[in-house]
Amino acid sequence: MILRIKMKKYTFSSIWLFCIVLFLSACSPSRPPAESAAIKFTEKIYSGDVEGVMALTNLDLSGLPANKGVFALKIRNLILKEKQKADMYGGINKITVVSASYKSREGKIIDQTKTTAGSKAYIKLNILFHNGMVHQKDLVLIDISGEWKIAI
């Protein structure tokens, strides 16, 4: 009998704890997709991930003439310079969104929930490095078929 009462208390407290965790996780704010893409892009730049950076941009090198290799090499060198800078500052500590605004294809200011293909997001980031240095980065993203890409 005592075992049955303890088991009911245990079951009840487990269910109660599960409900609290579920409620708290549902209330945690999620980052809008454009802001997440901007942060991911910045992380990939400072880690030297050339392919990852290229995947997050709206560049399509397939349409370039034969000198596309030179263009890709210049982009690679720029990314590697940023990685060296991050290494010199001890690596990234934290990236925060300072501001974000959205505009429709027509250039009208809109809410982040009203974006459609062709909308743009203007994101300002603060990048805090481990040595205490802070850099600001302004990025423009474009919604391409529901996926946010860095506009270049």
Side-chain angles (χ1 to χ4, degrees):
M1 182 73 175
I2 294 174
L3 182 61
R4 183 178 288 174
I5 293 172
K6 285 185 178 182
M7 194 65 150
K8 284 183 182 182
K9 283 183 181 179
Y10 176 75
T11 304
F12 178 75
S13 61
S14 296
I15 292 171
W16 182 245
L17 181 64
F18 175 74
C19 290
I20 290 172
V21 169
L22 187 64
F23 174 76
L24 290 175
S25 65
C27 292
S28 64
S30 63
R31 194 171 293 289
E35 294 177 23
S36 295
I39 289 172
K40 185 186 272 187
F41 176 78
T42 304
E43 289 171 342
K44 290 189 180 298
I45 282 180
Y46 286 116
S47 69
D49 182 358
V50 178
E51 288 77 24
V53 168
M54 295 303 293
L56 290 170
T57 66
N58 67 338
L59 281 178
D60 182 14
L61 297 180
S62 63
L64 289 177
N67 64 352
K68 72 180 177 184
V70 174
F71 183 72
L73 185 61
K74 286 184 180 187
I75 290 175
R76 177 180 166 75
N77 288 339
L78 288 172
I79 293 168
L80 293 178
K81 280 183 185 176
E82 292 298 308
K83 182 189 180 333
Q84 288 174 343
K85 187 188 306 180
D87 291 344
M88 188 172 68
Y89 296 147
I92 294 176
N93 184 8
K94 188 176 183 182
I95 300 173
T96 54
V97 176
V98 176
S99 65
S101 61
Y102 297 83
K103 290 187 179 179
S104 68
R105 186 183 316 197
E106 297 79 29
K108 295 179 182 176
I109 296 174
I110 57 174
D111 184 68
Q112 70 183 12
T113 60
K114 307 286 186 209
T115 60
T116 58
S119 297
K120 289 187 177 180
Y122 300 86
I123 312 289
K124 183 180 289 254
L125 300 174
N126 269 352
I127 300 111
L128 173 64
F129 294 94
H130 282 288
N131 73 345
M133 188 74 106
V134 177
H135 283 197
Q136 269 197 347
K137 186 174 281 300
D138 295 317
L139 297 171
V140 178
L141 292 88
I142 187 165
D143 184 338
I144 300 175
S145 302
E147 192 173 348
W148 288 99
K149 300 281 188 171
I150 306 301
I152 294 183

